[in-house]
Amino acid sequence: MAAARLGQPIYLDYAATTPVDPRVAEVMIQHLTPEGIFGNPGSHSHPFGWAAKKAVDAAREQVAALIHVQPSEIIWTSGATESNNLAIKGAATRLKGRHLITCKTEHKAVLDPCRQLQRQGWEVTYLDPEPNGLISLDRLDAALRDDTVLVSIMQVNNETGVVQDLKAIGQLTRGHGVLFHVDAAQSAGKLPIDLQTLGVDLMSFSAHKFYGPKGIGALYIRHRPRVRLEAQIHGGGQERGLRAGTLATHQIVGLGMACQLAQEHLIEESARIQVLRQRLWQGLESLEAIILNGDPQHRVPGILNISFAHIDGEALIMELADDLAVSSGSACTSASHEPSHVLRALGRSDELAHSAIRFSIGRFTQAQDIEHAIQATRNAVTRLRELSPLWEWYQQGIEPEQMIWSEH
Amino acid sequence: MLEHFKNPRNVGTLDPNDPHVGTGLAGNPARSGVIRLQIWVNDQQLIEQVRFKAYGCGYTIACGSLLSEWLDNRTLEQALTLSHTRIAERLALPPEKLHCSVLAEDALQAALAEVQTKRAGKKTTI
């Protein structure tokens, strides 16, 4: 991708969003214009509607096939954020218990619905992960109560790339008769997911994280045993009353095609991306005083989150801006001054959290992009360290506390 | 601002034990960033040399650089009148980055204070 686009930085922010795969765009365009399939899938009485419904049904099968479930267990939403809201609020308000469990490293799209429920009287336990980012099953077990209705744990963390053991968690929740919701926004299309073998009851998907368009996602809702949810959006009764709103055929076929392509390419693509990521780490690890955030083993191929001690992450990104597009913290929190809540939950100091940047690799990243990224990052880190008093003290073995500070 | 970030002036270190050097350190690595400012002042109260280092976002670095540029060849009296608002204006700091200029001013005040302390010390030993 970089080779074709001179004058632009290399895109290494695939975890924030992905470009739509041209094959996805092609099928989407066929469902928009007067010559295409533009009908309302809900129109029962004419070929325009029937054709659109057929396209939607086919897409439903494509999504279902990716995760080995029945098409009837897939409903369409505007994205993973909406799916998370529907799963969490929908389950909590439908069922009897008043307690939920999630993890401090979840995306805000899970944490905020939980907080909202707290304001309305539910109790929520926010588990601490281990320092490597993984959930301890013992802690989860200890947190489960008689009145717990739902556990929500993401499969892959968007900042660190850490992968949770869904199988083990699912066994635990099944044993307690508690629903298990998984935000799969960062895992779908990147890791194989087989819901026949996992005790997952609800799963959220986001098209724009795996080469589909922004603005569409899905929620898997298990039928056996049946999971019941309270709808959050009411109206025309679409999606069996679970989510009202005219189905956006072009968006849906886009998500469907993204799933199909993921199915076709997953193994070879994740192997290729893994090699690139390993190369990137290898190229940087000889820099002094850098830390990998998140377990080195249990991680998705494409994400690398590194703290570069003694320099500021924002400054690093500004320095890299002409060469690389990367991010510090998640896209949703980067405007604020707060260090990443995920890195803090892993036990990183504020300083190390502020020094972190996330590289994420994707379908269109090439080997020379990685080489370029290594060079650019090494140069940037070196230059900023030359400007940094913290780096100077580190080299001299002085602790910052030993210096005399003015009040601030 | 970008210019001062990409090509900061006067980056470096002066000997903090030198009697002519005033060192000012401001900030907090956990929160806001850190600026270390050092000025070498001659007996005529003229700032002959300035050095700074900064840890923090690009704006923090730019504030340090701009400040160091202004201080170079200025008198202590002139330095005392430098305020963070002038730095903020000159770099067109957005509201959420105003604290970077305050950090720079704090470092300056600390450096000036140390200069005064050292002079006072010098006088009494004579």
Side-chain angles (χ1 to χ4, degrees), chain A residues 315 318-319 379-389, chain B residues 1-13 34-37 50-70 72 91:
Chain A
M318 193 180 273
E319 178 71 3
N379 292 344
V381 170
T382 304
R383 182 181 99 86
L384 289 173
R385 281 180 168 171
E386 274 159 26
L387 304 181
S388 166
Chain B
M1 175 263 152
L2 217 46
E3 171 59 22
H4 278 279
F5 174 65
K6 295 273 182 198
N7 297 301
R9 290 57 167 140
N10 303 308
V11 174
T13 310
V34 173
I35 294 181
R36 182 188 71 194
L37 184 74
V50 191
R51 293 284 180 270
F52 90 100
K53 280 202 176 182
Y55 158 84
C57 68
Y59 292 92
T60 304
I61 293 167
C63 285
S65 169
L66 181 67
L67 178 61
S68 77
E69 196 178 56
W70 271 350
D72 202 14
L91 294 175

Side-chain angles (χ1 to χ4, degrees), chain A residues 309-312 314-316 318-322 335 337 339 350-352 354-355 383-390 392-393 400 403-408, chain B residues 1-2 5-8 11-13 25-32 34-36 52-59 61 96-97 99 102-103 106-107 110:
Chain A
H310 315 302
I311 62 179
D312 180 80
E314 247 189 87
L316 184 52
M318 193 180 273
E319 178 71 3
L320 288 170
D322 291 334
H337 222 218
D350 279 354
E351 200 197 312
L352 279 177
H354 272 305
S355 314
R383 182 181 99 86
L384 289 173
R385 281 180 168 171
E386 274 159 26
L387 304 181
S388 166
L390 271 57
E392 188 183 300
W393 297 332
M403 309 301 298
I404 303 162
W405 295 87
S406 86
E407 301 276 305
H408 187 67
Chain B
M1 175 263 152
L2 217 46
F5 174 65
K6 295 273 182 198
N7 297 301
V11 174
T13 310
L25 202 53
N28 182 333
R31 257 187 302 115
S32 58
V34 173
I35 294 181
R36 182 188 71 194
F52 90 100
K53 280 202 176 182
Y55 158 84
C57 68
Y59 292 92
I61 293 167
E96 67 273 13
K97 294 294 180 183
H99 67 276
V102 176
L103 197 62
D106 281 358

Side-chain angles (χ1 to χ4, degrees), chain A residues 133-179:
Chain A
L134 290 165
I135 296 287
S136 145
L137 292 167
D138 291 334
R139 289 208 221 202
L140 175 55
D141 196 21
L144 284 163
R145 300 175 357 188
D146 291 330
D147 63 338
T148 307
V149 295
L150 181 82
V151 171
S152 180
I153 304 285
M154 65 206 319
Q155 184 169 17
V156 171
N157 185 274
N158 55 299
E159 294 195 28
T160 60
V162 168
V163 182
Q164 300 295 344
D165 184 354
L166 297 189
K167 194 169 182 117
I169 297 172
Q171 280 168 345
L172 198 55
T173 52
R174 272 289 156 78
H176 280 259
V178 166
L179 288 179

Side-chain angles (χ1 to χ4, degrees), chain A residues 73-146:
Chain A
E73 294 174 299
I74 301 292
I75 68 155
W76 307 111
T77 65
S78 62
T81 297
E82 186 193 326
S83 300
N84 291 341
N85 272 262
L86 175 52
I88 294 167
K89 294 173 184 167
T93 51
R94 184 70 196 250
L95 302 169
K96 286 210 179 70
R98 302 301 283 185
H99 178 241
L100 300 102
I101 300 174
T102 187
C103 176
K104 286 187 179 154
T105 50
E106 292 296 304
H107 192 276
K108 299 248 159 159
V110 164
L111 295 176
D112 270 30
C114 288
R115 289 206 189 97
Q116 175 65 1
L117 288 172
Q118 275 182 292
R119 286 190 281 269
Q120 294 173 330
W122 275 266
E123 281 176 54
V124 181
T125 300
Y126 299 91
L127 293 173
D128 284 298
E130 301 302 295
N132 63 0
L134 290 165
I135 296 287
S136 145
L137 292 167
D138 291 334
R139 289 208 221 202
L140 175 55
D141 196 21
L144 284 163
R145 300 175 357 188
D146 291 330

Side-chain angles (χ1 to χ4, degrees), chain B residues 39-53:
Chain B
I39 50 179
W40 199 100
V41 185
N42 69 17
D43 296 327
Q44 284 74 48
Q45 310 222 348
L46 186 74
I47 300 171
E48 283 189 15
Q49 271 190 74
V50 191
R51 293 284 180 270
F52 90 100
K53 280 202 176 182

Side-chain angles (χ1 to χ4, degrees), chain A residues 267-317:
Chain A
I267 308 233
E268 129 234 334
E269 189 168 274
S270 46
R272 188 186 76 91
I273 288 174
Q274 172 110 324
V275 168
L276 292 178
R277 190 203 78 218
Q278 281 165 339
R279 174 63 196 128
L280 180 57
W281 174 245
Q282 186 191 54
L284 295 177
E285 71 177 323
S286 62
L287 280 170
E288 255 188 277
I290 72 171
I291 300 183
L292 178 66
N293 293 308
D295 191 272
Q297 248 63 52
H298 299 97
R299 53 174 46 249
V300 75
I303 298 178
L304 197 62
N305 188 308
I306 304 175
S307 285
F308 297 90
H310 315 302
I311 62 179
D312 180 80
E314 247 189 87
L316 184 52
I317 291 188

Side-chain angles (χ1 to χ4, degrees), chain A residues 39-59:
Chain A
N40 185 326
S43 299
H44 302 299
S45 46
H46 49 67
F48 300 93
W50 304 331
K53 178 166 193 315
K54 191 162 161 218
V56 167
D57 289 344

